[in-house]
């Protein structure tokens, strides 16, 4: 069950992080993500981790796995809204 919970958190974090990234314009020469993109990504990941940890404290068995996933998703959304423009 722990492997499933960790996998759920990793998948949700990846999906949320991909939503934070903006496509690069062809006329812009940049060697990496901007500071705002890094801040957005880090706040989203931190929110997902905290939400997953809080969710993992609820329920037992299959319900615990679901609560962990829901907590991670909710935390990621909260972190994204707090850290992204």
């Amino acid at each position: 069950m722990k492997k499933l919970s960790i996998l759920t958190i990793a998948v949700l974090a990846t999906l949320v992080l991909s939503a934070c990234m903006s496509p690069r314009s062809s006329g812009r020469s940049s060697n990496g993500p901007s500071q705002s993109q890094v801040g957005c990504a880090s706040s989203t990941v931190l929110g997902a981790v905290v939400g997953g940890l809080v969710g993992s404290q609820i329920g037992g068995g299959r319900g615990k796995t679901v609560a962990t996933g829901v907590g991670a998703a909710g935390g990621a959304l909260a972190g994204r809204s707090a850290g992204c423009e």
Side-chain angles (χ1 to χ4, degrees):
M1 272 308 157
K2 274 198 170 198
K3 288 182 183 179
L4 183 60
S5 297
I6 293 170
L7 179 63
T8 302
I9 292 171
V11 168
L12 288 172
T14 302
L15 290 173
V16 172
L17 284 175
S18 66
C20 283
M21 299 309 234
S22 62
R24 293 182 187 258
S25 63
S26 59
R28 190 174 107 196
S29 64
S30 174
N31 292 332
S34 69
Q35 223 174 6
S36 64
Q37 288 174 326
V38 172
C40 177
S42 60
S43 65
T44 303
V45 170
L46 182 61
V49 169
V50 171
L53 289 173
V54 170
S56 71
Q57 302 301 313
I58 299 170
R62 181 89 172 133
K64 188 172 194 166
T65 303
V66 171
T68 301
V70 169
L77 289 173
R80 182 171 189 255
S81 68
C84 299
E85 296 174 17

